[in-house]
DNA sequence: GCTTAATCGAGACGGTACGTCAGGTCTTGCG
DNA sequence: CGCAAGACCTGACGTACCGTCTCGATTAAGC
């Protein structure tokens, strides 16, 4: 006795959906969030503007879906595990700071801009930058190794680390040498 | 032997400068950074658009000057000093999180948006949120009291704390109870 | 020995055809030709857009069919016959001008608009406004009564009368009093 | 002691006004009224869309101004005066019908379309097609020559003639030979 | 006091992108 | 295979701001 709310007529075109998300990712990475326009996406994806507006309410929602689909910041570095937490975190942070100085800052800033009107982007942002990896893998490992107190909230710890990195990205100045070590020392104690 | 390039004619109108900054602050707080427009500022300040463009290159520069003049986030909270660093930081963070939940989040988000195209706003933002006070006053005091290691970089520590708060503001969800304590525990060790 | 080109499947739905024409007539009279849209007709008739496009090439063709079916301007006035042609024509023109001043002008303008991209509508328009009646009935009668020269082309005469009325409808200003009499005097001599 | 309601600020750009009207006339004559778009005019005139909307409420208003400026149907044929009214009118009508058959019909239809939402265009249309010339010159002359009764309203007479021509233009079929003579006979008596 | 030049409020200008509407075509599943 | 429904691409709509330029009025230093 299934109620089966069946709808006649054409269904959403998967091709259009993919084309829009890929075009968005492409333009986002080359132009940044501010230069990203709905008209630009439509043109790049060879799609009518209405097809975008039919399924997404705003530019930031499209970007959010891009992140959900993993089209932005696809693979980000997870911290190594040499057995020494402090050394590993420092190396990881240092890698990110180097990335920021080589053009990554504008990408992060664009993502923050997108996150401002689409909170779900912020969640994915943290996740993409490694919160989950830090949390689930490296910190657990450190707890096992007795290098991180089991009573310390790992997620908040990760958030503080990522938050500091975001602030550095916004500040735009080149990080001074040793910034990674200082940051890890500061939060690790 | 200064040639004294003296300029004839009227000088910059202080009244216009003030009117513009105040109008900007007024609109920023009511509408947010995105809704803020140069035309809106000009109209609100009863000023010609050119008068704004003559002295500021962009919307974010005007907002930056507003912060410098202390017209935005005028009064911020500085951490108390009861002698117990952990308790004081927790109380301070908790106050900020409460502020965020009562409308402060959108203000912070607007400031972050402004900071994205004007890094100096980011500096002022951190400062306004208490980095300096934390740094110069409370942490020094904690070091004196033996509650904070002198080798720990206080500025990086503060940045991590503020960064975590900013991420929470972007996330937009209500902070779970005990978030302040968790955060302080996480970074303090 | 007809090969009987038998077509499989259902034939054209008369119900759909009627629904479309009636919906068109309904919308035409309430909204006018410009506001009339294919989407509007489809929605009003509970019909797929494709069903309209399958059978009519354009909006104006649908409107033309409406006229052919007599769904628009169904009842129009025919000139009376009191024996005095001048008096009868004046009364008839006066009736039409009064109709124009009471909302009829926009209907006529819509019909003219439709006629522009569908000449057959123009023919029906003239017919509907009375050309045929004038022609076939009243003028013949006048010729019999010796009030209209048999050598005068009745159809051209009717066209001039209707054309003047159309121009008055387009002009949109209220006709001055006595306009009907003046017009009849002008063309009748 | 003039009160001189002086307005500060820039004044309307005559260059832009001219460019818009000329672009409109150009496009109107090549594409017709329906194909005419505000965006097309703006592009053709190298002008921002807003500059058009600032001064004209609609497409038809722009076209109306074009007619007022005499950029459309600039000089139209006025009837000759050989002394014989019937012959002159017939020649004049015949000239117009010939023009209609050689592409003029679409121009007239476009003007009628424009007149539908801008009655002032209708006035100019009649005027451009010769109503005034007919009225003020030829008919007066005919009255003097005793070929036209002084009691016959010349303006209504002209309107009937032009109206008949407009209906013929809408009908789109080629006028049958002798149509001009028939029309003149019909209205002249 | 007169000249001169930079300021001011106001707002028109050429543009870009917005979000909406409708056009005409194509696709889906039902009858 | 016609039908209702509706997604698709296209293109114009009218609006909001952008940053620049142009007015005439005002203002203050220099002659």
């Amino acid at each position: 006795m299934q109620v089966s709310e069946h709808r006649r007529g054409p269904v959403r075109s998967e091709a259009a959906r993919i084309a829009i998300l890929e075009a968005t990712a492409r333009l986002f990475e080359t132009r940044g969030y501010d230069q990203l326009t709905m008209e630009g996406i439509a043109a790049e994806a060879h799609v009518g503007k209405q097809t975008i507006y039919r399924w997404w309410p705003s530019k930031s929602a499209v970007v959010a879906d891009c992140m959900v689909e993993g089209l932005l910041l696809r693979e980000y570095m997870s911290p190594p595990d040499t057995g020494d937490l402090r050394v590993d975190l420092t190396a990881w942070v240092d890698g990110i700071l180097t990335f920021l100085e080589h053009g990554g800052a504008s990408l992060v800033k664009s993502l923050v801009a997108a996150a401002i009107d689409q909170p779900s982007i912020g969640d994915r942002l943290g996740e993409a930058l490694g919160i989950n990896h830090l949390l689930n893998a490296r910190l657990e490992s450190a707890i096992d190794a007795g290098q991180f107190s089991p009573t310390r909230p790992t997620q908040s710890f990760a958030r503080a680390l990522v938050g500091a990195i975001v602030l550095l990205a916004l500040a735009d100045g080149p990080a001074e040498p040793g910034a990674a070590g200082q940051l890890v020392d500061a939060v690790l104690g």
Side-chain angles (χ1 to χ4, degrees), chain A:
Chain A
M1 297 314 155
Q2 186 198 341
V3 183
S4 178
E5 271 295 347
H6 190 59
R7 210 182 50 72
R8 262 183 303 179
V11 292
R12 176 172 187 178
S13 158
E14 184 66 8
R17 199 186 126 262
I18 298 295
I20 290 166
L21 291 178
E22 288 183 343
T24 302
R26 211 149 47 233
L27 294 172
F28 186 96
E29 290 183 354
T30 55
R31 306 280 182 193
Y33 183 71
D34 276 8
Q35 310 281 3
L36 193 66
T37 66
M38 291 301 235
E39 302 213 323
I41 296 172
E44 174 84 11
H46 301 295
V47 143
K49 266 200 291 182
Q50 196 57 50
T51 301
I52 308 182
Y53 283 109
R54 198 179 347 260
W55 303 109
W56 291 277
S58 64
K59 178 172 78 164
S60 54
V62 185
V63 174
D65 260 22
C66 277
M67 294 224 52
V68 168
E69 302 276 312
L71 274 68
L72 290 174
L73 275 184
R74 197 179 326 254
E75 14 195 321
Y76 217 74
M77 357 165 181
S78 56
D81 189 347
T82 67
D84 185 336
L85 180 62
R86 186 175 307 265
V87 165
D88 290 350
L89 287 182
T90 302
W92 177 74
V93 170
D94 198 57
I96 294 181
L97 294 187
T98 303
F99 165 66
L100 291 182
E101 282 175 44
H102 293 74
S106 65
L107 179 61
V108 170
K109 284 199 277 190
S110 278
L111 283 170
V112 172
I116 283 168
D117 29 50
Q118 195 73 20
S120 69
I121 296 178
D123 303 341
R124 300 282 316 174
L125 172 62
E127 201 172 315
L129 276 178
I131 284 188
N132 278 0
H133 277 89
L134 260 175
L135 188 79
N136 294 330
R138 193 58 195 84
L139 290 181
E140 297 291 333
S141 162
I143 290 173
D144 292 346
Q147 294 180 341
F148 196 83
S149 161
T151 62
R152 233 170 148 172
T154 52
Q155 179 156 13
S156 289
F157 181 85
R159 198 185 340 256
L161 219 41
V162 172
I165 290 170
V166 166
L167 286 192
L168 284 171
L170 292 190
D172 217 19
E176 66 244 28
Q182 276 193 15
L183 177 57
V184 173
D185 286 351
V187 294
L188 209 48

